[in-house]
């Protein structure tokens, strides 16, 4: 593609190369030639194998595990593109790590989300494109334009086709996910329930109460990410054992799936967990209960709109 004399190039590093290739294919472009290697002491070495002078570069990389390595790859590649005279560099970060540290929850806490936003900006990114930040207010941490995509339309379309006539209800697993669950329920056209829980410490939660009627209904738990799956599996247990739900499905944009997540999901009441491919999930974690929906078309459409200076908001629906 060529727009006002500029061409567009898609690059990826090591976090999610499969998604980068699919995005490039959706745009009808070859994936840019780049090599991201390690020196013997672990330092990252980047080699851009083609000219990017004057090009609009879109660099696809999630900051998933290993988080720090993938973050450094983003920063070093952005620097390399800017020093190679790229016309513009957009950091396409489908999953933005460190987003849970967005405020001082207690004395002497770091606000890591703001620090990472600053690092990406200082490295030379002209724009950021991401999906479902853990806290929407992180958008304000960036001093460069940020486009924030939503995963709910993709997830809602899947469940709407799966249960065209089913008696459904969407459930927020905690108070922080109410807006997301409400959006999902509105798109599917079903009711909403909320689980009130008390978190004792990080990655450990205790379900306390269910607000809403889930008895004899098929429920869909709606969250932004699944990390250790403790919250998700506890919510599913409460919905069945306390609320009397008929069956439990779950959905989330980001499948972090760390620690005991897979074992917990396998043993849980959850019938199916639907995730988006913002994070590259290893084959050994793709158990029968997990279904992954592709985001490449949505990211490709967004990239094309950014490239052509068109509004992105029509894609939110």
């Amino acid at each position: 593609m060529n727009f006002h004399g500029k061409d567009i190039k898609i690059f990826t590093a090591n976090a999610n190369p499969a998604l980068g290739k699919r995005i490039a294919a959706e745009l009808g472009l070859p994936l840019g030639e780049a090599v991201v290697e390690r020196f013997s002491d672990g330092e990252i070495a980047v080699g851009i194998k083609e000219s990017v002078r004057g090009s609009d570069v879109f660099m696809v990389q999630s900051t998933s595990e290993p988080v720090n390595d993938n973050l450094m790859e983003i920063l070093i590649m952005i620097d390399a593109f800017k020093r190679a005279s790229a016309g513009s560099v957009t950091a396409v970060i489908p999953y933005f790590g460190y987003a849970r540290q967005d405020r001082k929850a207690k004395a002497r806490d770091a606000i890591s989300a703001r620090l990472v936003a600053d690092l990406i900006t200082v490295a030379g990114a002209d724009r950021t494109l991401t999906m479902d930040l853990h806290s929407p207010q992180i958008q304000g941490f960036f001093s460069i334009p940020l486009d924030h995509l939503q995963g709910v339309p993709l997830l809602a379309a899947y469940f709407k086709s799966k249960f065209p006539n089913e008696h459904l209800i969407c459930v927020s697993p905690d108070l922080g996910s109410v807006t997301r669950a409400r959006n999902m329920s509105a798109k599917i056209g079903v009711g909403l329930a909320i689980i009130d829980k008390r978190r004792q410490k990080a990655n450990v939660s205790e379900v306390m109460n269910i607000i809403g009627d889930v008895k004899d209904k098929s429920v869909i738990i709606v969250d932004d990410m699944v990390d250790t799956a403790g919250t998700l599996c506890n919510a599913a247990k409460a919905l069945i054992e306390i609320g009397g739900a008929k069956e439990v499905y779950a959905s989330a944009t980001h499948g972090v799936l760390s620690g005991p997540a897979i074992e917990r999901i396998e043993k849980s009441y959850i019938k199916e967990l639907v995730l988006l491919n913002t994070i590259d999930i290893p084959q050994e974690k793709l158990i029968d209960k997990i279904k992954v929906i592709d985001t490449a078309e949505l990211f490709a459409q967004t990239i094309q709109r950014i490239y052509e200076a068109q509004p992105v908001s029509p894609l939110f629906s």
Side-chain angles (χ1 to χ4, degrees):
M1 283 188 284
N2 196 285
F3 181 70
H4 293 327
K6 288 187 177 182
D7 63 348
I8 176 174
K9 296 194 174 184
I10 311 296
F11 288 84
T12 186
N14 293 323
N16 200 341
L19 179 56
K21 289 177 184 177
R22 290 184 63 80
I23 291 171
E26 288 284 345
L27 289 165
L29 297 170
L31 193 63
E33 293 185 40
V35 177
V36 184
E37 298 176 319
R38 297 290 187 276
F39 290 111
S40 60
D41 65 351
E43 290 182 3
I44 294 166
V46 169
I48 310 300
K49 301 299 184 181
E50 62 183 86
S51 174
V52 295
R53 185 176 294 272
S55 300
D56 285 344
V57 171
F58 292 82
M59 194 266 168
V60 182
Q61 172 88 331
S62 285
T63 50
S64 48
E65 186 182 9
V67 180
N68 299 327
D69 285 355
N70 289 333
L71 176 58
M72 283 304 299
E73 286 183 8
I74 290 176
L75 301 177
I76 293 172
M77 285 194 80
I78 291 172
D79 184 75
F81 291 132
K82 296 301 287 188
R83 293 179 187 277
S85 301
S88 69
V89 179
T90 299
V92 182
I93 309 175
Y95 169 66
F96 184 86
Y98 284 108
R100 284 172 284 190
Q101 301 176 50
D102 64 324
R103 65 194 185 283
K104 290 185 69 171
K106 60 182 184 299
R108 295 173 295 281
D109 271 358
I111 304 179
S112 304
R114 173 59 191 266
L115 174 61
V116 172
D118 287 345
L119 289 172
I120 291 168
T121 304
V122 170
D126 297 288
R127 176 183 293 269
T128 302
L129 169 60
T130 189
M131 176 177 278
D132 279 343
L133 291 167
H134 187 65
S135 300
Q137 61 265 29
I138 292 172
Q139 296 173 77
F141 292 173
F142 285 84
S143 58
I144 55 177
L146 182 143
D147 291 299
H148 186 216
L149 296 179
Q150 300 171 8
V152 162
L154 297 175
L155 295 167
Y158 171 78
F159 282 109
K160 198 166 185 177
S161 64
K162 187 179 180 71
F163 302 108
N165 301 308
E166 193 75 24
H167 193 39
L168 289 174
I169 187 169
C170 289
V171 176
S172 173
D174 53 34
L175 297 177
S177 294
V178 171
T179 300
R180 186 174 292 104
R182 185 186 294 120
N183 289 341
M184 174 86 95
S185 68
K187 288 187 182 300
I188 300 176
V190 299
L192 174 68
I194 302 167
I195 294 178
D196 174 37
K197 67 179 175 62
R198 301 290 187 268
R199 186 181 295 277
Q200 306 302 319
K201 57 182 179 179
N203 295 325
V204 177
S205 64
E206 179 184 357
V207 173
M208 300 296 290
N209 190 31
I210 299 172
I211 305 169
D213 181 17
V214 299
K215 186 172 178 59
D216 298 326
K217 295 179 181 177
S218 297
V219 304
I220 305 169
I221 302 173
V222 184
D223 212 347
D224 67 316
M225 72 168 68
V226 180
D227 189 354
T228 62
T231 294
L232 195 68
C233 294
N234 286 342
K237 182 179 180 181
L239 289 165
I240 294 288
E241 296 184 358
I242 300 174
K246 182 174 73 172
E247 57 184 356
V248 177
Y249 292 81
S251 68
T253 302
H254 311 298
V256 179
L257 303 177
S258 66
I262 296 300
E263 182 181 359
R264 286 174 171 174
I265 294 165
E266 190 75 88
K267 294 178 179 179
S268 73
Y269 283 106
I270 295 168
K271 194 168 184 179
E272 184 179 56
L273 169 60
V274 184
L275 302 168
L276 302 184
N277 65 339
T278 56
I279 294 174
D280 188 21
I281 302 173
Q283 193 64 39
E284 62 270 17
K285 292 186 178 182
L286 290 174
I287 59 176
D288 291 341
K289 284 188 174 185
I290 294 178
K291 176 178 178 58
V292 181
I293 295 175
D294 189 25
T295 60
E297 183 179 0
L298 178 57
F299 275 104
Q301 290 174 348
T302 308
I303 287 169
Q304 184 163 355
R305 283 177 172 272
I306 292 170
Y307 174 69
E308 295 176 348
Q310 297 295 317
V312 172
S313 55
L315 299 176
F316 293 167
S317 58

